[in-house]
């Protein structure tokens, strides 16, 4: 018998309110500590802590010291830059943003951008690049961090990346000040639960337990020796057909997991075995739900989320997070005989036909403690 949920809105709101974090800030540096801060790397011509107002007339932002950095990316643009934490490693776990103030001199050429990557225990975590909208004034760049990455940033030793990444012959001077980690107030504390580990086959179908073939004729299988799992003993694999396809669909999702109404995020690991250089591959999920025939105002056929790419995940797994909204499926969770399913969608070019993609470690994020007094299950 399918499990049924009764949503207690007021109790849920009260439960969540008790698990929202307060605002938190972790200072990284404002360069006032009189240490030998500098940027190093192929793009860096000169870098040192400077006092403002400088000969260039840059106004102070926070205190009197800033990091002066002159750079030149050369012909290919991709010249690595690195800033070390002179005061020792720092714990940035729990931070959802890194803030940095920058001032590009007006004569700077190329894009006014910085790619910033914290390095923790030898792993560089890509946060993406941020662009200052103009030269000749201070701008605050904000680098977002997803919560899965944030939890790993327990011992950050340095930051790497690029100034004007990918921009050939970009050169100029940038002043940097007041770098810090930040977590906004009101963020719901989350716990992460693995719903599908893809470690065993369904004894009746031989397909990965909890999943089945789709109406597009795609048959997901266990990967076996074709890939090293992200976690556990195995992973799911799908042979690509060079098109937009329904790739795999869940079986009895409500019987597999009893907290779907609480879910805030899907977190899934993806990988591809071949070299996808010059190609593209991306995936997303569609959620569908409904009730017994004749049940009014229950069916939700097409709740989809943005496609996210992972064609470059050939040597390591790439973790992708989707924020999801389960409110559109409330009717199915409430009604007797309601059903809910998740469909994996893949989208790629024709040159990818016959290649393999892999998916593993399907997790969901739910609010900490929300099941207590929040949902009545029967």
């Amino acid at each position: 018998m399918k499990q049924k949920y009764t949503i207690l809105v007021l109790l849920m709101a009260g439960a969540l309110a008790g698990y929202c974090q307060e605002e938190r800030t972790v200072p990284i540096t404002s360069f006032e500590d009189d240490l030998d801060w500098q940027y190093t790397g192929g793009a860096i011509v000169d870098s040192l802590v400077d006092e403002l107002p400088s000969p260039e007339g840059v106004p102070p932002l926070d205190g009197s010291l800033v990091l002066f950095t002159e750079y030149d990316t050369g012909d290919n643009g991709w010249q690595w830059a690195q800033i070390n934490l002179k005061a020792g490693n720092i714990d940035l776990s729990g931070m959802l943003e890194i803030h940095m103030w920058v001032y590009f001199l007006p004569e700077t050429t190329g894009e006014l951008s910085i790619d910033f990557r914290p390095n923790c225990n030898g792993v560089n975590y890509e946060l993406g690049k941020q662009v200052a909208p103009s030269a000749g004034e201070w701008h605050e760049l904000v680098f977002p961090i997803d919560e899965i990455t944030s939890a790993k940033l327990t011992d950050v030793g340095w930051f790497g990346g690029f100034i004007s990444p990918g921009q050939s012959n970009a050169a100029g001077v940038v002043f940097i000040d007041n770098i810090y980690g930040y977590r906004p107030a009101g963020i719901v504390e989350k716990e992460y639960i693995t719903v599908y580990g893809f470690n065993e086959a369904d004894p009746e179908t031989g397909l990965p337990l909890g999943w089945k073939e789709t109406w597009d004729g795609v048959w997901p299988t266990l990967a076996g020796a074709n890939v090293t799992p992200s976690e556990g003993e195995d992973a799911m694999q799908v042979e690509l057909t060079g098109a937009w396809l329904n790739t795999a669909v869940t079986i009895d999702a409500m019987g597999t997991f009893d907290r779907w109404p609480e879910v805030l995020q899907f977190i899934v690991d993806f990988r591809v075995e071949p070299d996808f250089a010059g190609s593209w591959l991306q995936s997303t999920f569609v959620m569908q739900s409904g009730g017994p025939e004749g049940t009014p105002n229950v069916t939700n056929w097409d709740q989809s989320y943005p496609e996210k790419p992972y064609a470059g995940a050939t040597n390591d797994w790439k973790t992708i997070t989707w924020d999801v909204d389960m409110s559109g499926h409330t009717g199915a969770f409430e009604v007797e005989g309601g059903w809910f399913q998740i469909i994996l969608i893949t989208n790629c070019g024709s040159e990818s036909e016959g290649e393999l993609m892999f998916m593993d470690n399907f997790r969901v994020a739910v609010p900490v403690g929300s099941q207590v007094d929040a949902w009545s299950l029967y």
Side-chain angles (χ1 to χ4, degrees):
M1 180 178 179
K2 288 186 181 291
Q3 294 166 314
K4 177 182 174 184
Y5 301 82
T6 300
I7 299 179
L8 306 179
V9 177
L10 293 178
L11 286 177
M12 182 62 172
L16 289 183
Y19 293 94
C20 291
Q21 290 193 348
E22 296 180 354
E23 179 183 60
R24 292 173 56 202
T25 299
V26 175
I28 298 174
T29 183
S30 287
F31 304 104
E32 301 295 319
D33 43 23
D34 200 28
L35 295 174
D36 185 25
W37 292 93
Q38 59 181 340
Y39 250 124
T40 62
I44 306 305
V45 177
D46 191 18
S47 182
L48 52 91
V49 173
D50 197 12
E51 187 169 1
L52 295 179
S54 67
E56 291 84 0
V58 178
L61 174 72
D62 180 20
S64 60
L65 298 177
V66 299
L67 182 65
F68 162 93
T69 298
E70 181 181 358
Y71 63 94
D72 188 338
T73 65
D75 291 338
N76 64 15
W78 290 95
Q79 296 284 340
W80 182 259
Q82 180 174 315
I83 183 171
N84 297 309
L85 295 176
K86 298 295 184 179
N89 292 11
I90 190 168
D91 183 357
L92 292 175
S93 59
M95 298 298 100
L96 296 182
E97 299 170 354
I98 292 179
H99 291 236
M100 169 197 292
W101 284 87
V102 298
Y103 188 109
F104 286 88
L105 291 185
E107 57 267 30
T108 298
T109 61
E111 187 176 59
L112 308 177
S113 67
I114 290 181
D115 177 308
F116 211 47
R117 307 183 186 192
N119 183 284
C120 184
N121 298 319
V123 179
N124 288 323
Y125 292 94
E126 297 185 25
L127 305 184
K129 73 176 181 180
Q130 298 296 323
V131 181
S134 62
E137 56 186 317
W138 285 103
H139 294 285
E140 187 174 25
L141 305 184
V142 179
F143 300 87
I145 310 172
D146 68 81
E147 292 194 85
I148 297 296
T149 298
S150 175
K152 300 175 182 178
L153 301 181
T154 57
D155 193 34
V156 176
W158 49 271
F159 295 91
F162 305 89
I163 301 178
S164 291
Q167 184 80 37
S168 297
N169 296 311
V173 170
V174 58
F175 290 89
I176 298 174
D177 202 4
N178 196 15
I179 307 175
Y180 62 95
Y182 180 67
R183 184 182 183 93
I187 301 297
V188 175
E189 191 74 29
K190 301 180 183 69
E191 61 176 310
Y192 297 89
I193 302 171
T194 300
V195 179
Y196 299 103
F198 305 107
N199 294 316
E200 57 183 308
D202 187 313
E204 295 184 5
T205 67
L207 275 59
L209 189 64
W211 294 75
K212 64 182 179 180
E213 75 281 5
T214 74
W215 41 91
D216 286 339
V218 180
W219 289 73
T221 63
L222 291 176
N226 288 332
V227 72
T228 301
S230 170
E231 287 189 12
E233 302 298 321
D234 215 327
M236 183 168 74
Q237 75 176 26
V238 173
E239 182 176 329
L240 300 171
T241 60
W244 187 97
L245 281 175
N246 298 293
T247 307
V249 61
T250 57
I251 302 173
D252 189 24
M254 290 172 64
T256 300
F257 183 63
D258 64 2
R259 297 178 67 180
W260 290 114
E262 305 168 62
V263 170
L264 303 173
Q265 294 174 326
F266 291 168
I267 306 99
V268 187
D269 299 333
F270 287 91
R271 185 169 172 176
V272 289
E273 194 64 13
D275 183 2
F276 270 75
S279 185
W280 58 278
L281 171 64
Q282 51 203 41
S283 287
T284 189
F285 292 95
V286 171
M287 294 189 290
Q288 297 180 344
S289 61
E293 185 175 353
T295 305
N297 303 320
V298 170
T299 302
N300 187 335
W301 280 107
D302 188 18
Q303 184 182 6
S304 59
Y305 293 91
E307 295 180 353
K308 298 190 178 183
Y310 54 95
T314 56
N315 297 316
D316 296 295
W317 290 88
K318 180 174 182 178
T319 300
I320 301 178
T321 300
W322 284 268
D323 292 331
V324 297
D325 179 5
M326 307 301 294
S327 63
H329 305 283
T330 297
F333 295 137
E334 289 182 319
V335 69
E336 185 69 34
W339 58 269
F340 170 74
Q341 67 182 14
I342 302 169
I343 306 164
L344 169 67
I345 306 293
T346 57
N347 195 0
C348 60
S350 58
E351 66 275 14
S352 303
E353 185 172 358
E355 306 288 5
L356 296 176
M357 60 79 67
F358 306 99
M359 188 172 89
D360 201 6
N361 200 19
F362 187 113
R363 292 145 286 168
V364 297
V366 298
V368 169
S370 62
Q371 193 172 31
V372 179
D373 292 331
W375 304 102
S376 176
L377 177 63
Y378 64 94

